[in-house]
Amino acid sequence: MILTITANPSVDISYRLDDFKIDDVTRTEKVSKDAGGKGIHVGFVLKELGLNPIHSGFIGGKLGEYIEEELGKKGQESRFVKVSQDTRNCIAILHNGKQTEILEGGPTISDKEANYFLENLGSISKDCKIINMSGSLPKGLTSDFYKKIIAYARSKGIFVSVDTSGQSLIDVIKAEKKPDLIKPNETEIAQVMGRKVNKEDLREILLEEPFKDIKYVIVSMGKDGAIVKAGNRVYNAIVPEVKAINPVGSGDSSLAGALFAIEKDMDDEEIIKTSMTCGLLNVLTEEIAHIDIEKFDYYFEKIQVKELI
């Protein structure tokens, strides 16, 4: 099984409007609500691939209960830690071909709540072959939280992946105990290196410190696919051109594909192709973190993986 941790989950609310009137009343019946957060989105795609993911993180109040209920309706297990403050809402207003987002900050996690999570990580991750951490950290937590989970996983022989950004990403990459997989983009690689980075530089960069001891580094390039380090080899993953319907959630879908393939002990080329296929399938749907599994084989065969020498 795969445990996916979303430290700062949300209830995602989307309003679809024909027209967004500023300083006026706007009515709509096109409303959707769901459990949200990057790790939760990873779990959605893992479920569609045929696995039974386990969700964890911190939840509080009625909104936290709603997240558990919605995951339960989807047949997905939750092992969240309850906190005193309320889980957040994240609102997306879709209007006039645009998307306006209002993102709440979420709860502040106390030292006691954080320590409780870490002290119970053994039971939270019970029977899990992989631990994945996705998204930003809520107030009260630092990158040490991620680093302690990585150290725990490595000590237990559990594969561990991290998909985060900013200082948290820099800290986990440069930590003594590194994750087994990360999924940055070009900009985030440049932030880690402290200098401008071009696509042509990536092969050399990914084989050197601080990346060389991270087994899988998936550098997403949007519609151009990805540059992927697997062990001591670096590959260019090329995806076919498609008409994108909604790219939101494609990174989470791509990560889910990689974790699924790793859990199934596939070889590196299959891991890369599965990852790219899931990311591609997500852009072909309106729903976030969703893939049409019936189209999987068709697009899987269209992914090209070429080793960079």
Side-chain angles (χ1 to χ4, degrees), residues 205-219:
I205 289 171
L206 297 181
L207 293 174
E208 296 178 350
E209 292 287 359
F211 300 101
K212 71 174 186 177
D213 293 328
I214 301 174
K215 186 172 184 180
Y216 295 105
V217 182
I218 303 173
V219 184

Side-chain angles (χ1 to χ4, degrees), residues 261-294:
I262 290 166
E263 202 272 346
K264 294 297 183 181
D265 297 318
M266 296 183 187
D267 63 35
D268 289 341
E269 182 173 340
E270 290 176 309
I271 291 169
I272 295 168
K273 291 181 71 172
T274 303
S275 174
M276 295 300 102
T277 302
C278 289
L280 184 65
L281 288 173
N282 180 81
V283 309
L284 298 176
T285 67
E286 286 190 4
E287 190 176 347
I288 296 173
H290 170 70
I291 62 173
D292 184 346
I293 198 67
E294 293 184 359

